Amino acid sequence: MQQRKIINPTDVYQEVKDYWGGELSPELIEFIIQAEDEHLLIAQERWPLIDVVSDGKMLNTDRFGLRPVIAPDFRGDVTRDVRKAALLSLHCDELVLDANLLYPFGDPEEHLNAHGDDWSLPDQEMPSSPNRDLIAKTLLALYHLRPLIEVGAISFGHLRLKQTMEDVFRATYPVVAELARTLPSGKEAGDIYRLGIEAQMAVMSTFGLVTDRQGTPTSSSPIEWQMWQRLSKEFARSKETSTLQTLAQLPLPTLSSKISEILAIRSDSAALGKWRTALANVLEEAGKVEGQPDQVSRAGAIVSGRLVGELKRLEVSLDSSPAIRSMRGAVLPTLLAAIPTIPTVSSPLLVGGILAGSGAIGVIDEYLKGQSARRGNRAMLDLAVHLGSMG
């Protein structure tokens, strides 16, 4: 096989055009998934490698801030997760997605298929025939996210740490099991249990990017939040460490509009640009708070106090535009939480709990110690964010 060329993420759209003869669109996606297997397999073979490091968007992990990791659910409604990414992009400069999104036709030789049905079982062979549903959903996500990708508002990272997936599954499954025990029998209980499994898959699919210091843990349901809580508590040996301490609860404004219109407004609205800058600066200031974990409350006061006024100014600015005002949706209840650290002489933060002896321990230990070393004597190591009601 000839050596593949290497391109940047922004070039994937030209690759689609060169091979399939048109700009990526819903109509072209429909044409692609109707193609013969041979054409889809050739597209996979010819697809280039994507350079997610040297494209100018290497993450600045030294800076404390909000970089939500989004894991599109390719088993379900991918548009829902893309819309969540669009709404989050109104409030932060950078989102993080798994680089597998850049390989719509699959690539079993070079990359783990992190969103296929067997993604958590890396020892299984990849299917020999194209997964048309997966191809369609991946291309649709790329189509919707194009404005963010082309301006560098999305960074990509490879889902690493494959050997820890079983460990993460074991650590988060008790949340699902407890949910099942508290539910009545019947179809509704089964549906809720399924939601628990879906939440577990969402956490597992972003775990590698989070622990690789590439992004902020993000949850969209109370079940996901409980899983991150459980993982964080098990990563901290010290009894004094209270993980995921609340920094602020922010009612972020949203837009009830098409994804394309949301992203157009993100690009054109000076008020939203000023808000993103203010939010980033406040979080950066809060991340410099020094001391013990009880200082997280001081950081929280900085975040809440400063951002209340900024949010009011944003609301006024958005309402001053008739076009934006007509698209205003319900607020997005957002919980910002901090993962604090306890500075010590020998080991800033060690890892313990039920995962002791497992493959995940060394990974998380190195992650937390690395973060603590980077940030020195700081009250917080990282951020976590929950979207939506906790009820």
Side-chain angles (χ1 to χ4, degrees):
M1 182 182 297
Q2 64 180 8
Q3 187 175 4
R4 298 189 187 190
K5 64 179 179 180
I6 300 176
I7 66 172
N8 292 328
T10 53
D11 297 326
V12 297
Y13 301 98
Q14 187 62 44
E15 287 297 316
V16 171
K17 184 177 181 179
D18 288 346
Y19 185 81
W20 296 102
E23 294 289 346
L24 184 61
S25 65
E27 293 75 22
L28 183 64
I29 294 172
E30 183 65 26
F31 172 79
I32 290 173
I33 62 173
Q34 299 296 329
E36 298 289 337
D37 284 4
E38 177 184 1
H39 295 299
L40 295 174
L41 292 173
I42 293 175
Q44 172 184 307
E45 181 180 341
R46 293 184 179 179
W47 194 256
L49 298 178
I50 315 297
D51 187 346
V52 297
V53 174
S54 62
D55 66 343
K57 286 301 296 178
M58 187 66 176
L59 290 177
N60 179 7
T61 55
D62 290 331
R63 189 179 186 200
F64 188 86
L66 186 60
R67 295 183 298 272
V69 176
I70 305 297
D73 178 13
F74 289 92
R75 298 174 181 81
D77 181 8
V78 69
T79 306
R80 175 194 60 193
D81 297 303
V82 171
R83 181 178 178 81
K84 180 175 73 174
L87 290 174
L88 271 174
S89 75
L90 298 176
H91 307 288
C92 55
D93 289 324
E94 189 172 44
L95 302 174
V96 183
L97 278 79
D98 181 13
N100 281 284
L101 181 66
L102 300 171
Y103 294 85
F105 302 101
D107 194 345
E109 291 185 354
E110 302 286 347
H111 299 275
L112 173 68
N113 181 2
H115 40 249
D117 290 339
D118 61 352
W119 71 272
S120 61
L121 303 172
D123 293 334
Q124 289 191 0
E125 294 184 0
M126 296 293 295
S128 57
S129 60
N131 185 334
R132 297 173 187 276
D133 183 62
L134 181 59
I135 291 172
K137 290 179 177 179
T138 307
L139 288 172
L140 185 63
L142 284 173
Y143 166 73
H144 284 303
L145 293 172
R146 184 171 185 169
L148 293 178
I149 293 173
E150 291 190 329
V151 300
I154 291 181
S155 291
F156 293 93
H158 290 297
L159 180 64
R160 302 169 184 170
L161 318 174
K162 294 186 284 293
Q163 74 279 8
T164 68
M165 290 296 102
E166 185 177 350
D167 301 320
V168 179
F169 181 89
R170 280 198 292 260
T172 54
Y173 185 77
V175 178
V176 181
E178 179 61 27
L179 176 67
R181 283 194 295 270
T182 60
L183 291 173
S185 59
K187 184 177 184 299
E188 182 179 357
D191 290 342
I192 298 178
Y193 181 73
R194 177 180 52 79
L195 292 176
I197 295 294
E198 290 177 355
Q200 188 181 31
M201 294 298 103
V203 170
M204 291 172 64
S205 61
T206 60
F207 178 81
L209 293 172
V210 169
T211 56
D212 206 27
R213 299 192 296 276
Q214 297 191 56
T216 303
T218 305
S219 68
S220 300
S221 72
I223 302 172
E224 288 181 47
W225 188 251
Q226 290 175 36
M227 290 176 182
W228 283 116
Q229 285 274 13
R230 186 180 183 91
L231 288 170
S232 298
K233 288 176 182 177
E234 289 170 355
F235 297 160
R237 177 173 295 172
S238 173
K239 298 293 184 181
E240 302 172 31
T241 302
S242 176
T243 60
L244 300 190
Q245 295 187 33
T246 299
L247 275 181
Q249 298 190 56
L250 304 174
L252 299 182
T254 65
L255 302 173
S256 58
S257 184
K258 296 180 180 178
I259 294 173
S260 59
E261 293 173 343
I262 293 174
L263 296 181
I265 290 174
R266 180 193 190 273
S267 172
D268 296 337
S269 172
L272 283 167
K274 291 179 180 178
W275 158 248
R276 287 193 295 273
T277 299
L279 176 58
N281 290 340
V282 170
L283 291 177
E284 174 71 3
E285 181 180 344
K288 294 178 181 178
V289 171
E290 298 184 2
Q292 300 294 324
D294 59 4
Q295 291 298 305
V296 172
S297 60
R298 178 185 162 202
I302 293 174
V303 174
S304 298
R306 292 268 303 277
L307 292 182
V308 167
E310 295 291 349
L311 271 174
K312 288 181 179 178
R313 281 188 281 275
L314 175 62
E315 293 277 356
V316 171
S317 296
L318 294 181
D319 284 339
S320 66
S321 167
I324 297 179
R325 187 170 62 243
S326 67
M327 299 179 186
R328 288 292 300 276
V331 298
L332 182 65
T334 304
L335 173 66
L336 286 179
I339 303 176
T341 181
I342 297 179
T344 64
V345 176
S346 59
S347 181
L349 191 58
L350 295 176
V351 180
I354 65 168
L355 296 183
S358 70
I361 282 299
V363 171
I364 305 300
D365 186 27
E366 289 303 313
Y367 163 64
L368 293 176
K369 286 193 293 185
Q371 289 292 71
S372 190
R374 286 169 179 266
R375 300 199 173 116
N377 185 19
R378 296 287 185 258
M380 296 179 292
L381 278 177
D382 235 325
L383 278 175
V385 60
H386 173 73
L387 308 170
S389 171
M390 292 296 291

